[in-house]
Amino acid sequence: LGDRRAQRGTAQPLCITKAQGERFMQQLGFAPTGAQRRVMRQIQEDLAKTVPMSRLVQGDVGCGKTVVAFYAMWIAVQNGRQAALMAPTEILASQHLQSAVQTLAPLGVTCGLLTGRMTAAEKRRAKEAIAAGAWQAVIGTHALISEGVEFANLRLTITDEQHRFGVRQRTTLEGKGDAPHVMVMSATPIPRTLSLVLYGDLDLSAVDEMPPGRTPVRTRIVPEEKREGLYAFIRAQAAQGRQAYVVCPLVGEAELDDAALRSAAQEQKELAQALAPLKVGLVHGRMNKAQKEDTLAAFYAGTLDVLVATTVIE
């Protein structure tokens, strides 16, 4: 991996004026954190070079990595070039498109989505828009690296949740462009020494500051005998329009003797009875992709009050 930078050739510098940068910031409607500004500045400096950018942006969920990604895309588009953002799931890709439409579309950037579950006609239209350059900010899943997807002038590739993709998948996306600048994002904390081994070709940026106003996380331990109190709490939260996750470590009947380790399927049955008439959904890794996506979409849309899941929901 260490030699990959040298193999990637010469990139086209992507520069913006101070006014163009300020226009993006004004459109956000909020002040970026100091960490976001620092990483945006690093990316802006990278993109202005003839050496292709190769940057890993790390930060916890909610720290604002997506805004940083959109800023990079904005810079590419201001130079008349396309940018692509690849996410590991259809749900994430759809969420990114919604955010892009809110952030970039008012600035005149055309945004589009390509995923594997689209109809043949939708995929054809998407591929035509990508190939013609009609879509400047292209967002999608693995479908972006499939055969038949040709970009007009791809100069920036962004991979979200990098650990969910292989290096080959990332480089296949890069291959859709001409020595594009590369950014990858991860919410998984990776020690610096390990990141050098895994991603030796990448510079490291950390968005290590949360935006103001984030509700602090409160942790409570609820013993088995106070479970009814927990149910009452969930019901009260649902009555206020809020939702709950219940995360279980196992899928089928308990594979360990420890009775405290309940299976997700069993937990969902019990909760559906205990919390009736609240709607309780179930998602786990053994479900097929369509089932998972549909259940997560229902939870995201608010039609499910509680989602019982294994760690697949990460």
Side-chain angles (χ1 to χ4, degrees), residues 12-17 20 44 47-48 71-83 109 136 153 155-156 181:
Q12 180 189 37
L14 304 174
C15 305
I16 57 168
T17 64
Q20 287 171 319
Q44 187 170 330
L47 293 176
Y71 185 60
M73 296 177 96
W74 166 246
I75 294 172
V77 171
Q78 289 309 288
N79 284 264
R81 300 296 183 258
Q82 283 174 303
V109 178
Q136 298 164 305
N153 49 23
R155 283 293 188 278
L156 170 68
H181 295 275

Side-chain angles (χ1 to χ4, degrees), residues 32-63:
T33 63
Q36 283 175 310
R37 286 184 183 277
R38 183 184 71 247
V39 177
M40 286 171 164
R41 194 163 54 245
Q42 291 170 337
I43 287 168
Q44 187 170 330
E45 289 170 0
D46 282 355
L47 293 176
K49 297 174 183 173
T50 55
V51 178
M53 175 172 76
S54 222
R55 189 164 290 277
L56 168 62
V57 176
Q58 277 186 296
D60 290 339
V61 172
C63 72

Side-chain angles (χ1 to χ4, degrees), residues 12 14 47 72-85 109-112 126-139 144 149-158 173 176-178 180-181:
Q12 180 189 37
L14 304 174
L47 293 176
M73 296 177 96
W74 166 246
I75 294 172
V77 171
Q78 289 309 288
N79 284 264
R81 300 296 183 258
Q82 283 174 303
L85 169 56
V109 178
T110 54
C111 309
K127 288 176 183 177
E128 287 170 358
I130 294 167
W135 286 354
Q136 298 164 305
V138 182
I139 295 166
L144 291 178
V149 178
E150 302 291 338
F151 287 80
N153 49 23
L154 180 63
R155 283 293 188 278
L156 170 68
T157 67
I158 303 172
L173 180 59
K176 300 280 186 181
D178 181 12
H181 295 275

Side-chain angles (χ1 to χ4, degrees), residues 86-96 115 140-142 160 164-165 289 293 296 312:
M86 183 167 68
T89 67
E90 312 241 347
I91 292 275
L92 255 178
S94 297
Q95 288 176 351
H96 282 324
T115 69
T141 56
H142 297 75
D160 190 18
R164 304 275 290 274
F165 295 99
K289 190 174 179 183
E293 299 284 352
L296 289 172
V312 70

Side-chain angles (χ1 to χ4, degrees), residues 23-30 66-67 70 74 94-112 137 139 300:
R23 192 174 162 216
F24 177 88
M25 298 300 178
Q26 288 168 357
Q27 165 57 28
L28 284 180
F30 60 85
T66 310
V67 168
F70 289 161
W74 166 246
S94 297
Q95 288 176 351
H96 282 324
L97 178 72
Q98 287 178 339
S99 299
V101 167
Q102 289 173 352
T103 305
L104 296 172
L107 294 167
V109 178
T110 54
C111 309
I139 295 166
Y300 186 64

